[in-house]
Amino acid sequence: MNTRQLLKGCVAAAFTLVAASAPVMAQVEATQQDYQVVQSLQRVFESVAEKVKPAVVNISTVSEIKFKHPPIPPQFRDFFHQFGIPFPFPNFPDSFQTRALGSGFIVKVKDGWAYILTNNHVVAHAKKIRVKLSDGTVYRAKVVGTDPKTDVALIKIHVGNKKVPVLQLGDSDKIKVGEFVIAVGNPYGLNWTVTHGIISAKGRHGLGLNPIEDFIQTDAAINPGNSGGPLCDIHGRVIGINTAIVRNAQGLGFAVPINIAKKVMEDLLKYGKVIRGWLGVYIEDISGELAQKFGVKEGVLVTKVMPGSPAEKGGLKSGDIIVEFNGKPVKNVADLQLKVINTKPGTKVKITVIRDGERKTLTVKIGQMPGSQQLASADLLSKYGFSVQKLTPELREKLGLPKWIKTGLVVTEVKPGSPADDAGLQEGDVIVKAGTTPRNMRPVKSVDDLLAVLRKGGDSGALLKVIRGEGVIYVVLNPQE
């Protein structure tokens, strides 16, 4: 008898033994109460779907990528002419368009405008944004503002007197792992798809998706096209914005907590920029050995304090272990970062540290994160498609500008196909005056001066006085349609 025959005999004997010893299973029948429980849960999902779907929108974007002719040195161009080949190449394409789909949801209606939350990556670099409502109507959307750090964007459509549904925003700080959730979106263009699952985890960070991460993890089915759609609780309240998935994996979806998105939205509407708190320290998580030595369970180690920062002014020192922020425990680096950036600049907070084995509480006045203004400028200027830099004496000399031009903004980048490109702005142009009409034009001394004019101009745009080389031109800059 060979090995295979022996194995077959053993398996057969085992099955015979199990069959002989196993009790006879009675037929299972569900009771009426069992059906009522399942039907109750089913009605909850049906109710949420009916409540949420009308406020979810389909977002389609068109982006244009422009080509430049290949940079070939002049000495090599004769080669093409010898063979009768014209240069630049006449058939070389100037541009091509890309299209993308995403989701969003209506959160506010004011003065005839419906405001929609979505992901930044859904609308970033889009030349045209169209929004389709659940009733089939389509609108051209405008970008109110974006925040690449959290991947949140706010857009708006003009609906006039039309009544459109608005979703209620929940509190993502109160959600718990294991709770049922419902996701609604447009995966692969399959409009208003509803899926459900549970909250698998909270506070996911270190994924490398966004500079600021505090994701809700869910196993509700999320696919390409779901980005920007709502993740809701069983009451239909939005607790997150579906943002990312892990490729080639199942049940691994991530959403931006709605409390983070709410702050971004409120800042964009109120200030036109995202304002974040700043402490000014380099920090790292405490290892198990360090925690044992210092006698702490949680906290972060301060490795360096920036000179002149709020932390230095408040008395923080390198080697301190931050264990509490305004009375709340500090778990890790990501936890402290979120606590700080969500604190309004100018707020005085109590920070508890362990220093030389002793517990010490310091009062620190939170500052504004450096670069917030530059980020805000990028958010507002992005819909015009250009970047600027304040004119300095070095730049004035480099550009060969007359000495009488002492203030202005130098255009450092113009995106192909953007409103700035359409208006004729070029890199190296110097914006010296701006206004909404020729009569109210004023000198531009800072980025704030330009931003104020652009905000005031709104949909009607702005008039710019520009120095280009030795000449002066006027440019009418209109926002993205």
Side-chain angles (χ1 to χ4, degrees):
M1 180 181 293
N2 58 31
T3 304
R4 181 176 295 180
Q5 291 172 330
L6 179 61
L7 287 174
K8 284 184 177 180
C10 291
V11 171
F15 273 108
T16 302
L17 180 61
V18 170
S21 59
V24 178
M25 299 297 293
Q27 186 176 359
V28 178
E29 292 186 4
T31 66
Q32 187 63 30
Q33 184 179 1
D34 295 331
Y35 281 109
Q36 289 175 350
V37 171
V38 175
Q39 288 172 346
S40 296
L41 181 59
Q42 181 174 293
R43 282 194 296 270
V44 170
F45 288 133
E46 291 172 353
S47 174
V48 174
E50 290 181 5
K51 184 186 299 184
V52 174
K53 283 174 62 178
V56 176
V57 304
N58 180 315
I59 300 176
S60 59
T61 63
V62 176
S63 300
E64 186 176 39
I65 299 176
K66 287 195 173 184
F67 286 120
K68 290 185 178 180
H69 289 284
I72 298 179
Q75 60 268 31
F76 294 109
R77 296 182 184 181
D78 290 338
F79 171 81
F80 293 98
H81 294 302
Q82 289 176 4
F83 293 93
I85 302 174
F87 185 90
F89 307 128
N91 296 324
F92 192 83
D94 292 325
S95 64
F96 73 93
Q97 290 186 339
T98 62
R99 299 177 183 272
L101 295 174
S103 306
F105 52 97
I106 303 172
V107 293
K108 181 178 182 179
V109 177
K110 183 180 180 181
D111 299 329
W113 290 92
Y115 292 84
I116 298 166
L117 274 176
T118 184
N119 284 138
N120 173 65
H121 75 261
V122 171
V123 298
H125 312 301
K127 188 174 183 180
K128 295 180 181 178
I129 304 172
R130 293 189 181 275
V131 169
K132 183 178 181 181
L133 303 187
S134 59
D135 63 4
T137 54
V138 179
Y139 297 86
R140 180 72 63 87
K142 297 178 181 291
V143 176
V144 177
T146 62
D147 182 34
K149 288 193 173 183
T150 58
D151 198 14
V152 174
L154 183 67
I155 62 177
K156 65 179 181 179
I157 56 175
H158 193 262
V159 295
N161 296 324
K162 180 177 180 176
K163 291 185 178 181
V164 294
V166 175
L167 287 187
Q168 180 183 357
L169 303 184
D171 186 349
S172 53
D173 290 340
K174 293 182 178 179
I175 62 175
K176 296 180 180 179
V177 175
E179 287 186 15
F180 281 120
V181 286
I182 294 92
V184 185
N186 305 291
Y188 296 107
L190 300 172
N191 300 336
W192 296 281
T193 296
V194 179
T195 59
H196 79 275
I198 62 169
I199 296 173
S200 305
K202 295 170 54 179
R204 289 295 193 204
H205 60 275
L207 302 177
L209 299 172
N210 297 337
I212 297 175
E213 296 182 340
D214 186 37
F215 289 118
I216 299 169
Q217 182 181 327
T218 178
D219 65 350
I222 296 174
N223 292 284
N226 272 108
S227 291
L231 185 70
C232 302
D233 63 16
I234 59 173
H235 301 286
R237 299 173 298 210
V238 182
I239 59 168
I241 303 177
N242 298 320
T243 299
I245 58 176
V246 175
R247 296 281 183 185
N248 303 319
Q250 294 183 351
L252 290 176
F254 300 94
V256 175
I258 198 62
N259 286 5
I260 290 179
K262 277 193 286 189
K263 183 187 184 305
V264 170
M265 178 180 70
E266 291 165 359
D267 281 359
L268 290 174
L269 289 172
K270 187 174 182 180
Y271 306 110
K273 60 184 180 182
V274 180
I275 296 178
R276 293 191 169 95
W278 180 58
L279 190 56
V281 291
Y282 291 91
I283 52 180
E284 66 178 41
D285 287 320
I286 296 181
S287 65
E289 294 82 2
L290 281 175
Q292 188 175 5
K293 288 290 184 183
F294 284 98
V296 297
K297 294 182 179 179
E298 297 176 330
V300 298
L301 175 64
V302 177
T303 58
K304 183 180 179 181
V305 178
M306 298 180 186
S309 66
E312 184 185 59
K313 294 175 182 177
L316 278 166
K317 295 181 180 180
S318 176
D320 286 348
I321 297 179
I322 301 176
V323 293
E324 285 186 7
F325 184 90
N326 241 11
K328 295 183 179 179
V330 172
K331 300 176 182 178
N332 49 45
V333 167
D335 182 39
L336 178 61
Q337 288 175 335
L338 287 169
K339 284 179 167 62
V340 173
I341 64 176
N342 288 325
T343 302
K344 187 176 180 180
T347 304
K348 291 184 177 180
V349 299
K350 299 290 185 181
I351 297 180
T352 302
V353 303
I354 303 296
R355 179 183 297 171
D356 298 328
E358 296 183 0
R359 196 177 181 90
K360 187 177 181 67
T361 300
L362 308 171
T363 300
V364 179
K365 185 178 180 180
I366 297 297
Q368 183 169 329
M369 181 183 290
S372 293
Q373 183 60 43
Q374 287 81 352
L375 177 60
S377 303
D379 283 341
L380 184 58
L381 296 179
S382 64
K383 69 178 180 179
Y384 294 94
F386 73 109
S387 302
V388 294
Q389 178 181 339
K390 190 173 181 180
L391 180 65
T392 62
E394 293 79 13
L395 278 173
R396 185 175 64 231
E397 183 178 352
K398 183 178 180 180
L399 295 171
L401 299 174
K403 292 184 178 180
W404 59 268
I405 302 176
K406 296 183 178 179
T407 60
L409 297 176
V410 181
V411 178
T412 58
E413 180 187 8
V414 178
K415 295 180 180 179
S418 66
D421 188 25
D422 294 340
L425 272 180
Q426 298 178 9
E427 293 182 17
D429 285 349
V430 181
I431 302 171
V432 292
K433 282 189 176 183
T436 55
T437 67
R439 291 184 178 182
N440 65 16
M441 294 189 75
R442 296 290 184 271
V444 175
K445 299 179 180 180
S446 66
V447 176
D448 284 338
D449 292 339
L450 177 61
L451 293 177
V453 172
L454 295 178
R455 290 194 188 101
K456 187 176 181 180
D459 297 336
S460 62
L463 178 64
L464 309 180
K465 182 178 180 180
V466 175
I467 304 297
R468 179 178 295 169
E470 298 180 355
V472 178
I473 62 172
Y474 286 83
V475 173
V476 177
L477 188 62
N478 292 310
Q480 191 176 45
E481 296 181 357

